[in-house]
Structures are given as structure tokens and as C-alpha cells.
Amino acid sequence: MNKYLLVAKHKAKQFATPIYDKLFYIRAKQPIYHNIFWRNIEERLAAQQHTAIHVANVNMCNAKCVFCGQHKFERPKHVMTYQMFEEIIADAISLKTIKEIDFTPPLGEPLLDEGIFDKAALAGNHLYIKSITTNGILLSRHEICENVAIYFNEVRISIGGLDWESYKKAYNVNKFSDVFVGLINLLNIADKQHLGLFPKVKLLVRSPKSEWALIKSPYWNDLQLFIDKGILTVEFTNYYDNWGGSVKPEDLIGVMKARQPKKKCGIPCYSLGTFFIEHQGNVRLCGCRFINKENDGLVVGNINEQTLKEILAVDNLMPLYRKFINPDVDKSPEVCQNCTLYRPMSL
């Protein structure tokens, strides 16, 4: 795709998304929608089948991004054990509806787990390994890059710009060269060994510079070839969440803008339809956000104490869903109250 068309499409989407969200919010706030939703919610939840499992195999990172809550949270560093992962896979398979797995912690760099490829090999025997999201710093190591290409069907790489200066300002580590070398190596592997089919690579650009400045970078020319081949897609980020208030507007730099918290409308957030499992076995609804405590209201169970079938049962989830029922009084979980990513569920 032409780089100017790419930016134009991004700008159009950026303009249209808030309008779409607003219209959806207005519809969801109507009394008739509200009544129908709550009258049928238990029936719909019972019919809902979880088809994907998200695993947070680590809760530590090797960058300190200005837009992320990771380095502001005082949490002991952990890596999920192989035994824990093995139990998760066995439990997920027993549900019979889980078909794919995603290695994307909400906070943390999954490649810091030295056993990640052993876990991926185990998972791949039973499930489709959909994706991994990484900052790409460790992809400069050839063996890691090769294994990522082998095990993951989609690789999302977060990058803080296309020059070392803006990258360092955004990620607070001087690793731009490592990330870009690793990115190009991965793209070459995808092109040569997999005939451009796998893995698909998505570049998540979180830069203090504008999109127009980024596509004028000399490094963009290296990427354009792979974009044209359909191996690489690029997604620009302009607006950033506050991570439960831990990230302030003044923390953001350059063209980065803070999202505004969204008022609830008496309908649970659509993100509560997903779940992920942490290193200690906690099962959390919503794979997007949490705050600096072990339980911020979204933990619905632990696989050491219950099966996934029991944890995801309607009776177990309804108390959390009902916290959203009053549009005039926000009794949602603490982490949700100032979230900027809220979007009401659809019927």
C-alpha cells in the first residue's frame, strides 16, 4: 500500500471511530436497549463460547514506555512456570471450545520468559498459536527471532518511532537499533522461509512524531517492500489510556494525546467478554488493563482452586456484570472507573 494512502486511511479511521463509538453509546443508553440487554443477558452468556485463551506468561519488562503503567506499578517480577502453563492448556482443552492462544501480557515483555518456546511447542500440539505482542528488543538475537517465526502466526511489534532519538524518548531505553535489526530479520525470515504467508507481522508505532514524519524516515523505505508483499502491516497510535490513572497526560510526549475517561451507560464493557490468565493462576476478565494491586475487581477465580468451566460459568460472572447496571451510579470495578477504553456490549 502506498505510504500516503496508509496515513490517509489511518486519519479517516481516527476521525470516524469516536463518531461510531458515540452513536453506539447513545443507542446503548436508550431504556429499551438497556431493558432488553439485562432481560436476556444470562441466556446470552450461557450461549457464549470462549474460543481463545490469553496467557500472561510474565509481568516484567525491559523497557519503560512513557505511555505504559508497567514501570509505575510495584509488583514482584514473575514468570509463569511450565507446570502452571501445562495445567492451563489441559484445562483449556477440556472446555472443548478453546481453539487458539495468544501470548500477550497486558503488561510485560513475553520474550523475557526463557521457556516461552517450550510453552509454545506444548500449546501448538493442541491449539492454534494466534499471536504474540512484543517490544522486539530481544528479536535481535537470531535464535529468538527464528523461534518467533516458527511458533507464532502473527507477531505484533511495538516500536517508539523510526529513529533512535524519538524511540529513546518514548521507551526510555536506547534499543532502537536492536528492535529494527530484529524486525528486518523477522520480515526476511517470513518472506524467505514461509513464502510471505507466515508469520504476519504488525508494527505498532507509538511515537512522539507524527505519521507524516514517520513515513519520511529513511527507515520507512526498508519497510515498504514488506508492506507491498503483504507480510507487514502498520498501525499508528495517537491516543493513549491512563492505566487507571497511573499515566498522566504530562507523561506523554510529542504528538501523543491522552484519551478521556468514558462514562458508563448501564451496560457492561465488551472487553469483559474476554479473559486472560496470570502467572499465579488468577483468571481475569478483560485483557486490557489493571491497576497496582493483586485484585482490582476483575479477578473471577484461580485455576488452582477451580476449573475454567467453573470460573467462566454464568453464575460466577453475573455479580461482576451487574456492577454496571446503574447508568447514574458507577459501581464498576475500581480499574474500570476511569478507563478510557470502555465500550458497551452489543446485544
Side-chain angles (χ1 to χ4, degrees):
M1 179 184 291
N2 178 278
K3 60 184 180 181
Y4 298 105
L5 179 59
L6 177 67
V7 174
K9 288 185 68 174
H10 165 71
K11 291 294 186 182
K13 181 181 178 180
Q14 188 180 58
F15 175 79
T17 298
I19 298 174
Y20 172 83
D21 287 349
K22 184 66 174 178
L23 292 173
F24 196 83
Y25 178 88
I26 292 172
R27 186 186 69 164
K29 197 173 181 180
Q30 300 306 308
I32 188 171
Y33 188 98
H34 186 274
N35 293 337
I36 293 173
F37 180 90
W38 286 106
R39 186 168 65 240
N40 297 329
I41 185 172
E42 293 189 38
E43 179 182 332
R44 287 188 292 105
L45 279 177
Q48 176 180 290
Q49 293 186 339
H50 291 277
T51 59
I53 184 170
H54 300 258
V55 175
N57 61 315
V58 299
N59 69 344
M60 54 188 178
C61 195
N62 49 1
K64 295 182 178 181
C65 306
V66 297
F67 52 82
C68 182
Q70 171 73 40
H71 58 285
K72 296 193 175 184
F73 293 169
E74 296 177 2
R75 299 166 65 89
K77 297 178 180 179
H78 291 285
V79 175
M80 181 180 286
T81 65
Y82 185 84
Q83 180 182 359
M84 171 65 72
F85 186 82
E86 201 171 24
E87 292 172 4
I88 290 170
I89 296 300
D91 204 1
I93 295 169
S94 71
L95 281 180
K96 300 188 184 304
T97 61
I98 302 292
K99 304 299 181 184
E100 60 187 40
I101 184 170
D102 189 321
F103 284 79
T104 301
L107 286 178
E109 170 47 50
L111 293 179
L112 288 173
D113 177 2
E114 294 182 358
I116 187 172
F117 300 120
D118 292 331
K119 296 183 176 84
L122 172 65
N125 290 329
H126 309 279
L127 303 170
Y128 176 78
I129 304 180
K130 182 180 180 182
S131 56
I132 184 173
T133 303
T134 171
N135 59 32
I137 291 174
L138 296 178
L139 288 178
S140 60
R141 301 182 186 178
H142 187 67
E143 69 281 5
I144 290 180
C145 190
E146 282 196 326
N147 278 315
V148 166
I150 290 170
Y151 287 107
F152 297 97
N153 293 295
E154 180 180 314
V155 185
R156 298 186 291 261
I157 301 174
S158 175
I159 194 168
L162 293 179
D163 63 88
W164 72 268
E165 184 178 13
S166 61
Y167 180 91
K168 186 175 181 180
K169 286 181 179 178
Y171 281 48
N172 281 302
V173 289
N174 193 14
K175 294 292 183 178
F176 171 71
S177 295
D178 290 346
V179 176
F180 201 80
V181 166
L183 170 62
I184 296 299
N185 287 343
L186 181 64
L187 291 169
N188 279 319
I189 292 173
D191 187 24
K192 183 178 180 180
Q193 296 186 10
H194 299 280
L195 302 177
L197 298 177
F198 296 107
K200 297 287 186 180
V201 183
K202 175 177 282 189
L203 192 62
L204 308 174
V205 184
R206 292 150 175 177
S207 172
K209 290 188 176 182
S210 72
E211 301 90 336
W212 301 112
L214 289 163
I215 63 174
K216 293 177 182 177
S217 164
Y219 291 99
W220 187 271
N221 295 330
D222 296 321
L223 303 178
Q224 189 65 52
L225 173 66
F226 299 102
I227 294 173
D228 294 339
K229 288 185 176 184
I231 300 171
L232 176 68
T233 57
V234 179
E235 178 181 296
F236 300 103
T237 302
N238 296 94
Y239 292 90
Y240 298 81
D241 184 55
N242 60 18
W243 281 98
S246 63
V247 177
K248 309 295 183 185
E250 56 268 26
D251 293 329
L252 302 177
I253 57 176
V255 300
M256 294 178 176
K257 298 179 178 66
R259 290 177 177 269
Q260 297 302 309
K262 295 183 177 181
K263 187 178 179 181
K264 313 298 185 299
C265 64
I267 305 292
C269 180
Y270 82 107
S271 291
L272 299 181
T274 63
F275 72 94
F276 78 94
I277 305 179
E278 297 182 89
H279 64 89
Q280 78 287 66
N282 277 349
V283 179
R284 291 175 47 92
L285 298 191
C286 177
C288 293
R289 297 293 179 262
F290 57 81
I291 53 179
N292 193 22
K293 56 176 61 178
E294 190 72 18
N295 188 349
D296 53 17
L298 292 180
V299 176
V300 290
N302 187 290
I303 65 165
N304 294 309
E305 301 166 1
Q306 298 171 285
T307 65
L308 274 176
K309 183 177 181 179
E310 293 169 331
I311 293 171
L312 299 174
V314 175
D315 290 346
N316 190 50
L317 301 184
M318 280 307 299
L320 192 155
Y321 278 72
R322 290 195 183 280
K323 291 180 181 292
F324 289 81
I325 198 168
N326 190 338
D328 300 315
V329 181
D330 190 354
K331 293 185 178 181
S332 61
E334 185 180 359
V335 65
C336 301
Q337 293 186 4
N338 291 313
C339 183
T340 68
L341 303 175
Y342 169 76
R343 182 183 293 171
M345 284 183 174
S346 59
L347 289 172

